[in-house]
Amino acid sequence: MSDLAFFIPAALGTVAVLVRLPSLRRNARDPLLRAVVVFLLTATGVFYFGATSTIVNVNEITGVPNFAAPLLYSLLMACCGSGIILIINWRGGPPARIRRSTRWCAGTYAALAVAMYALFALGEAPVERLEDLDTYYANTPYIREMIVLYLVGHSAAAVIMASLCRRWLSDVSRELRAGLALLIAGYTSTLGFDVCKFAAVGARWAGTDWDVLSTEVARPFVTVSFCLILLGFGLPLAVQRFKGPWRDWTRYRRLGTLSRLLHGLTPTTAVVRMPLLSTVGVRRLHRESGIHDGLLTLNPYFDLTLRARALADALAHGASDDDAAADADAVMVVAAVDALRADPERHVIASSRELRTEPGEERDLVRISHALARILSGGPGGPAPEREHA
């Protein structure tokens, strides 16, 4: 099998690690972030050291035939352990239970990794095997046990992680549920690798040659599983990263009609110019601030009687309480804007001694903006306002 099947996932893992490193530097004590980085590092190491060219280089550098085998198997155990720890920390729970589970998992897989080197040292594997060490030494004392031990550890980790993800699946929704489904598929694919390896080794024990299962059929399972697992971990993190800016942009856009209507009502000395490269979150806050300032300027012109009539009319036409309130607020705001423009000297503001209730303080500005859009485009009989989802 071409080394590209190993180096491509290794490259993806390296990119993922580099993306997470800045966050790790800022939050070095975050156990979940540490678990993510360790898992990505060990998984990347497995693919890098699993490539045939790397195996050759390791054996040449150490001068020990097949030394790349225990090195690769120990990295695999580290990857399995860090994957379980990642799921444990990701799911959360009582801190004491998380720490206890983490210690048990780390200790178990560290012991397995140490056992790999001990068994390799006790056994004899003088003939370098680059692709079929599992089956070639399937009947060699100690090397045989090393092979079985890494397969058992790898299979157990896949079963544990798939089980943890499956139990968690019913408690979550949306992007996290999709991520867990990808993880389950990835770890199930990992079991396909183990089944092929066990079958090939078992065939050698029975005196049969099924080496093709180990050398050809098993390897694609690894690449597929890694890509699914990487997507499973990455999808929720990516969605979470962009969800906030997307919500800000959506709210910013939906407030456009109300913002444009109130634009220019506030004295120019109170207007704050936005830098060209401001984030969408800052722009959303600036737009909301401008709307509140505009409503405060309009406050003396609010006609609460007009609002009450508009509210009753909207309810009479079958609007919901929230939509009716938004329609009534929109009608009052439009009337207040007209009244303010008809009073260029601001006599009403100068003589006002009463601050009327401002509709934007306790009501949904987005609904008011949509109601305004309907009114300005043809009247209250237009389509119902689009609701903003959390």
Side-chain angles (χ1 to χ4, degrees):
M1 188 176 184
S2 171
D3 280 355
L4 280 177
F6 290 88
F7 287 137
I8 290 176
L12 292 175
T14 301
V15 171
V17 170
L18 294 176
V19 168
R20 302 308 301 173
L21 279 181
S23 299
L24 182 62
R25 283 197 296 267
R26 291 192 299 268
N27 305 281
R29 292 183 175 273
D30 187 340
L32 177 57
L33 200 53
R34 288 201 305 265
V36 169
V37 173
V38 171
F39 173 74
L40 290 172
L41 280 172
T42 54
T44 300
V46 168
F47 279 95
Y48 179 72
F49 284 97
T52 302
S53 58
T54 308
I55 291 173
V56 171
N57 291 333
V58 169
N59 292 337
E60 288 180 355
I61 291 171
T62 60
V64 179
N66 299 308
F67 184 80
L71 176 60
L72 177 60
Y73 296 161
S74 61
L75 280 171
L76 189 59
M77 294 302 98
C79 181
C80 291
S82 62
I84 297 174
I85 291 171
L86 173 53
I87 295 295
I88 291 171
N89 281 274
W90 195 10
R91 186 173 184 180
R97 188 183 69 185
I98 293 175
R99 286 194 298 268
R100 186 170 57 252
S101 300
T102 297
R103 285 195 296 266
W104 272 101
C105 183
T108 299
Y109 277 92
L112 287 176
V114 171
M116 303 292 176
Y117 289 102
L119 290 169
F120 181 78
L122 291 171
E124 293 184 3
V127 180
E128 183 181 57
R129 308 302 300 184
L130 301 179
E131 296 184 355
D132 63 347
L133 183 138
D134 297 339
T135 51
Y136 187 86
Y137 289 107
N139 291 302
T140 302
Y142 299 112
I143 305 299
R144 170 186 59 215
E145 284 74 17
M146 179 186 72
I147 294 167
V148 172
L149 195 60
Y150 104 79
L151 288 175
V152 169
H154 189 246
S155 301
V159 171
I160 290 170
M161 287 188 277
S163 176
L164 288 173
C165 292
R166 189 173 290 107
R167 285 191 307 207
W168 192 12
L169 194 64
S170 60
D171 300 330
V172 297
S173 60
R174 296 185 179 180
E175 67 274 3
L176 185 51
R177 187 178 182 87
L180 290 175
L182 288 169
L183 289 174
I184 293 170
Y187 290 124
T188 302
S189 181
T190 296
L191 287 174
F193 167 85
D194 295 321
V195 168
C196 291
K197 288 287 187 178
F198 271 123
V201 170
R204 280 294 185 122
W205 293 344
T208 308
D209 184 353
W210 287 1
D211 289 10
V212 67
L213 290 176
S214 177
T215 57
E216 299 296 333
V217 179
R219 291 190 175 188
F221 281 105
V222 180
T223 304
V224 171
S225 67
F226 178 76
C227 292
L228 289 172
I229 291 168
L230 193 62
L231 283 173
F233 282 123
L235 177 64
L237 295 174
V239 171
Q240 194 66 30
R241 183 182 183 90
F242 293 105
K243 182 182 287 186
W246 176 252
R247 284 177 174 173
D248 285 337
W249 165 249
T250 300
R251 185 169 177 82
Y252 175 84
R253 179 178 56 81
R254 290 175 175 175
L255 289 172
T257 302
L258 183 56
S259 176
R260 287 187 291 272
L261 178 68
L262 301 180
H263 181 71
L265 300 183
T266 305
T268 55
T269 55
V271 176
V272 179
R273 298 296 179 185
M274 289 296 298
L276 182 62
L277 299 180
S278 298
T279 65
V280 67
V282 172
R283 291 181 180 277
R284 189 263 302 170
L285 288 173
H286 180 264
R287 174 164 281 186
E288 287 181 350
S289 177
I291 288 172
H292 283 293
D293 289 344
L295 292 174
L296 188 61
T297 300
L298 287 177
N299 197 282
Y301 297 90
F302 286 155
D303 185 342
L304 299 182
T305 302
L306 174 63
R307 183 185 185 279
R309 289 200 305 269
L311 178 63
D313 184 62
L315 290 172
H317 284 82
S320 67
D321 291 344
D322 290 338
D323 290 344
D327 287 347
D329 288 333
V331 169
M332 184 175 65
V333 167
V334 170
V337 170
D338 291 340
L340 183 146
R341 288 172 177 166
D343 181 26
E345 301 299 326
R346 303 296 193 264
H347 294 300
V348 172
I349 294 177
S351 62
S352 176
R353 294 290 185 269
E354 178 184 359
L355 183 66
R356 295 170 174 81
T357 300
E358 182 192 344
E361 287 183 346
E362 297 183 356
R363 293 178 175 85
D364 190 338
L365 294 179
V366 170
R367 284 183 182 273
I368 297 174
S369 185
H370 279 291
L372 275 173
R374 292 201 313 274
I375 292 171
L376 297 176
S377 65
E386 181 182 355
R387 289 171 172 78
E388 181 183 19
H389 298 283

